[in-house]
Amino acid sequence: MIRQIPHYPFPRLCLAWLAAALAFTSAAAASQDLDAYATRAMKTFDTPGMAVVIVEGDKTTTHAWGVRKLGSAAPVDAHTIFPIGSNTKAFTAAALAILVDQGKLKWDDRVADRLPGFRMYDAYASQEMTVTDLLVHRSGLGLGAGDLLWFPATNRSRAELVHALRYLKPATTFRSGLAYDNVLYSAAGELIEAVSGQRWEDFVQQHVLDVLGMHDTRVSIDARVANQASLHAKMSGPVRGAGPQSVLTTVMTGDVIAPAGSLLSSATDMGRWLQAQLKHGALGDGKRLFSEAASQAMWTPQTLIPLSAGPEPLALGQPQFEAYALGLMVRDYRGHKIITHTGGVLGGISVVVIIPDRHAAFAVLVNSEDVGTLFAMRDHLLDAALGLSSPDWIANYKKIFDQGNEQALQALQASKAAFHPESGPSLPLSGYAGVYRDPWYGTATISQDKGALSLSFDRSPGMHGKLEHVQYDTFRTHWATPGMEDAYVTFALHPDGSIDQMTMQAISPAADFSWDYQDLHFTPEK
């Protein structure tokens, strides 16, 4: 997944929001407190490694704890690179802002006028979607719609992914509300190439990373370099997030969705990025990364995010307002405005927080997908930066996560208890074999071999595995690649017994939204 992690991780969505411990009387005391807190958080949530950068005015400090990989002694340091997931989105917004500053683009330009062949399912959205609309999650698409076009890996090109947008049915009307997506950031990457003549990767490298001196940062999640953090997940339990921490061997490919979430960066480099954000693009000596107007545009709320009450242990951090801007979120925290975003991929998560009224900012990078450490560190350091009393966020998040895992487990057990495995299937196994097509995904193939069915997602290398009968005409996947969320596969039949359609649903109630099986509607290919 490449995602924005919600404030409260349950009941769903595994995937928005640190600074110097200014309240302490000395830097040494602050550092000791932070070390102790980070160590306890990592122990509580089984986090292998973490890096933090804290910016206060012109001062930047970095901290690092733990190891890059379980079973290895190699430590995390200030230059260890982590995937930052959806915190990449702000870099894509900055790249567009630079093009706006250069006079090559306007925020209210219609995408269809600047990106040849751009088209959405809805004709009105196709014609009226602007550059800003690409970035603010109000397209009408459902939550995470189309993520299986690229997730967890694909052999599609970015252009192919953007072409597939025309087949994604909207869940709501255009601009009527918020639903987080990744695929339109891929379209933003294609737009950058269409306007600048450079691939997103090359434009971001030349106009952002090189300008800021972010020499650790890589533009692809596939990067293989020294001092890179390995990714970890708890996958062996009945629901994801339960069981022991283990190294995640499944690696996502990032090129097609790079503008939404494929940057790898270090604490040192994120400090340079945060300095540029705090200074509204100013670099010194009269030079700028982007203009003051561009900075204001990127921090201006665009799409309201509906608020709901969180669990009581986390109520102190509950925002009173929240909105999506351009690749960043704007919200309040205990009476202070903050600019923030989280990011997550399989096995790694991050958070960025900017506190404008304190001219402070921080980022936390973690090489595990369990967010307890991330959120506890975020809230603790926010409290310290703002000089506020702080509850025991570690204990509070531990309580919420334990409850959430237990609820997910109970829901899973209840659904299994209601199964009737003695009923069905309606057809011999050979009757289910064939090629099935979904309008936006493409084809999936079911084959029979040695008395068993197998399912393969034809554009997603690694998404293949056995099918096990559950009840009636429903089967479940057993993906061959570790770390992938299994799904129920259900067939509907015509009166003559031939197959009408095949639909899917994630098995785990805690599955991340990027496993958007529910949006698939396969029919037999003629």
Side-chain angles (χ1 to χ4, degrees):
M1 66 247 154
I2 289 177
R3 59 192 172 91
Q4 160 72 22
I5 307 167
H7 312 304
Y8 308 116
F10 294 102
R12 194 160 182 255
L13 305 188
C14 64
L15 331 92
W17 308 311
L18 266 219
L22 305 177
F24 295 95
T25 56
S26 71
S31 180
Q32 290 173 3
D33 175 84
L34 186 58
D35 286 342
Y37 194 90
T39 300
R40 183 163 72 91
M42 293 172 66
K43 182 177 180 180
T44 300
F45 298 105
D46 303 320
T47 302
M50 176 171 62
V52 167
V53 61
I54 297 168
V55 178
E56 181 206 356
D58 293 327
K59 179 183 177 182
T60 300
T61 58
T62 58
H63 306 263
W65 304 274
V67 295
R68 301 199 296 262
K69 181 179 181 179
L70 281 176
S72 170
V76 172
D77 61 35
H79 295 281
T80 300
I81 60 173
F82 295 75
I84 65 170
S86 283
N87 276 305
T88 303
K89 290 179 169 67
F91 287 81
T92 296
L96 289 167
I98 291 168
L99 290 172
V100 171
D101 287 341
Q102 293 173 349
K104 297 179 179 179
L105 198 65
K106 295 183 177 66
W107 290 116
D108 59 358
D109 280 353
R110 295 188 302 183
V111 179
D113 294 337
R114 308 306 306 271
L115 180 58
F118 175 82
R119 191 172 129 203
M120 301 291 287
Y121 187 93
D122 176 72
Y124 180 76
S126 296
Q127 185 65 20
E128 297 300 323
M129 185 169 291
T130 66
V131 176
T132 295
D133 288 320
L134 288 178
L135 306 181
V136 298
H137 309 295
R138 62 187 182 196
S139 67
L141 293 176
L143 176 66
D147 277 1
L148 285 172
L149 286 166
W150 58 268
F151 176 79
T154 185
N155 54 25
R156 289 180 176 85
S157 67
R158 195 174 298 151
E160 286 179 299
L161 185 151
V162 173
H163 179 82
L165 290 172
R166 66 194 62 196
Y167 305 114
L168 282 171
K169 291 184 178 181
T172 62
T173 55
F174 183 45
R175 295 180 183 152
S176 63
L178 177 133
Y180 193 83
D181 74 78
N182 290 298
V183 293
L184 289 179
Y185 270 81
S186 196
E190 285 292 277
L191 176 63
I192 289 168
E193 181 172 352
V195 173
S196 71
Q198 289 182 288
R199 295 169 64 244
W200 175 88
E201 290 84 349
D202 299 327
F203 189 92
V204 169
Q205 185 70 56
Q206 177 182 342
H207 295 276
V208 181
L209 304 181
D210 290 347
V211 172
L212 292 177
M214 295 178 67
H215 303 307
D216 294 334
T217 304
R218 300 293 183 266
V219 294
S220 172
I221 205 167
D222 300 319
R224 291 291 179 270
V225 295
N227 203 4
Q228 181 172 341
S230 293
L231 305 179
H232 302 81
K234 296 177 181 179
M235 303 176 296
S236 59
V239 295
R240 198 176 186 100
Q245 196 74 259
S246 60
V247 179
L248 190 63
T249 56
T250 304
V251 178
M252 295 167 56
T253 55
D255 289 349
V256 66
I257 203 67
S262 290
L263 285 182
L264 299 165
S265 194
S266 67
T268 296
D269 276 10
M270 290 302 290
R272 294 187 171 98
W273 169 246
L274 292 175
Q275 284 281 11
Q277 286 286 335
L278 283 168
K279 295 177 180 179
H280 304 287
L283 302 176
D285 298 325
K287 297 179 181 179
R288 302 193 68 90
L289 178 65
F290 44 73
S291 67
E292 182 89 25
S295 174
Q296 181 179 354
M298 287 187 282
W299 286 15
T300 297
Q302 296 285 341
T303 307
L304 289 177
I305 299 174
L307 296 177
S308 58
E312 191 279 330
L314 308 181
L316 189 62
Q318 172 77 15
Q320 300 303 305
F321 80 93
E322 190 169 21
Y324 206 91
L326 305 186
L328 292 162
M329 298 180 69
V330 184
R331 58 167 288 209
D332 68 299
Y333 178 84
R334 301 183 69 178
H336 294 263
K337 175 184 175 181
I338 64 172
I339 314 296
T340 185
H341 211 286
T342 55
V345 303
L346 291 174
I349 52 178
S350 66
V351 65
V352 163
V353 176
I354 301 166
I355 315 171
D357 67 359
R358 297 301 172 95
H359 201 73
F362 58 79
V364 183
L365 312 173
V366 177
N367 63 349
S368 166
E369 65 187 45
D370 300 286
V371 298
T373 295
L374 190 81
F375 285 170
M377 288 290 289
R378 177 198 67 191
D379 294 355
H380 173 74
L381 287 172
L382 267 169
D383 291 340
L386 297 170
L388 301 172
S389 61
S390 187
D392 188 346
W393 291 115
I394 296 173
N396 290 354
Y397 278 110
K398 179 69 162 61
K399 179 179 179 180
I400 297 304
F401 279 106
D402 286 348
Q403 290 175 348
N405 279 332
E406 181 60 29
Q407 291 168 5
L409 178 59
Q410 290 176 1
L412 191 62
Q413 292 172 337
S415 65
K416 288 181 178 180
F419 288 159
H420 300 280
E422 71 283 357
S423 300
S426 302
L427 305 175
L429 294 184
S430 60
Y432 300 96
V435 177
Y436 296 78
R437 178 174 293 277
D438 173 80
W440 58 265
Y441 173 80
T443 61
T445 300
I446 293 181
S447 56
Q448 182 186 15
D449 182 46
K450 299 179 181 178
L453 292 177
S454 296
L455 171 63
S456 172
F457 273 48
D458 297 333
R459 299 304 304 270
S460 305
M463 282 193 75
H464 59 87
K466 299 294 184 182
L467 289 181
E468 173 193 2
H469 180 252
V470 174
Q471 64 175 352
Y472 307 115
D473 292 304
T474 294
F475 298 76
R476 64 155 294 166
T477 64
H478 289 281
W479 299 119
T481 305
M484 300 174 65
E485 288 283 359
D486 284 318
Y488 292 123
V489 181
T490 299
F491 298 87
L493 307 183
H494 289 294
D496 65 0
S498 61
I499 293 176
D500 175 35
Q501 62 179 323
M502 177 179 77
T503 57
M504 299 180 69
Q505 177 185 331
I507 291 175
S508 172
D512 186 82
F513 64 72
S514 283
W515 301 103
D516 61 323
Y517 296 121
Q518 72 282 351
D519 294 328
L520 296 165
H521 184 94
F522 286 106
T523 55
E525 188 162 63
K526 306 299 182 184

